[in-house]
Amino acid sequence: MIIGVISDTHGHLHPRMKTLFNDVDLILHAGDVGDMDIISSLDEMAETKAVFGNMDDYMVRSNTREKIVLEKKGIRIGLAHGGGSPYTIIERLERMFRNDNVDIIVFGHTHSPLKEQVGEIFFFNPGYGRNTVGFLEIGENGDFKTRIVKL
């Protein structure tokens, strides 16, 4: 299973998105979407799950949630935007998903790509959606790998 991961689009989708996300099974948007047209455009490429970010307006907030937990091929994924200082974002996300037993937390907010194992949880930030996107590939046996692609 291949999951396209994007965040912080702020109302703009890079022209390469259709090509890059052409073969994904699912798209995760980690907030600061910009407007609902972004989610609609992504949904045309593949099923899209999105959360709102701190910069999103009422329309995006009323059609998304603050966090989502989903399971794919035995891997539990937490999706949230994050917020506040980038220096303590990992701790805040750990608290947010403390009772959800997630394996991976996908987040945004910092505009900086990140792939890092912290304790039992893998943290994945695809970076600023105008510069980078991410891919999360989950194998049949529940293993996974991630990658960041520059736009």
Side-chain angles (χ1 to χ4, degrees):
M1 166 172 248
I2 301 173
I3 301 172
V5 183
I6 190 166
S7 185
D8 297 280
T9 50
H10 297 281
H12 174 79
L13 275 184
H14 194 281
R16 288 185 59 206
M17 292 311 304
K18 282 189 179 181
T19 303
L20 287 170
F21 283 179
N22 186 48
D23 294 324
V24 301
D25 301 298
L26 176 69
I27 298 170
L28 300 179
H29 194 303
D32 280 357
V33 175
D35 60 63
M36 288 304 296
D37 289 342
I38 297 296
I39 295 173
S40 296
S41 294
L42 292 171
D43 245 342
E44 290 175 9
M45 297 174 216
E47 177 189 4
T48 300
K49 304 283 186 185
V51 294
F52 64 79
N54 59 299
M55 300 298 288
D56 283 317
D57 64 14
Y58 173 78
M59 187 60 74
V60 172
R61 286 174 181 262
S62 64
N63 285 284
T64 58
R65 297 185 302 193
E66 181 180 23
K67 78 174 197 176
I68 296 173
V69 176
L70 58 148
E71 187 167 331
K72 297 295 178 186
K73 297 195 176 282
I75 299 290
R76 287 183 58 85
I77 304 166
L79 175 65
H81 183 63
S85 169
Y87 301 109
T88 56
I89 195 166
I90 298 296
E91 292 84 2
R92 286 192 307 283
L93 288 164
E94 281 178 326
R95 281 193 302 276
M96 177 183 273
F97 290 98
R98 180 168 287 144
N99 298 319
D100 295 310
N101 196 32
V102 295
D103 301 296
I104 303 169
I105 296 176
V106 173
F107 69 102
H109 186 63
T110 66
H111 290 206
S112 298
L114 175 81
K115 303 186 308 178
E116 183 176 335
Q117 183 80 34
V118 178
E120 299 294 316
I121 302 171
F122 188 84
F123 289 83
F124 186 44
N125 185 332
Y128 182 42
R130 294 184 186 195
N131 296 334
T132 55
V133 295
F135 292 90
L136 169 60
E137 297 179 43
I138 302 175
E140 290 302 320
N141 60 356
D143 62 329
F144 66 89
K145 61 183 177 179
T146 59
R147 62 188 168 103
I148 302 289
V149 174
K150 289 187 180 188
L151 298 174

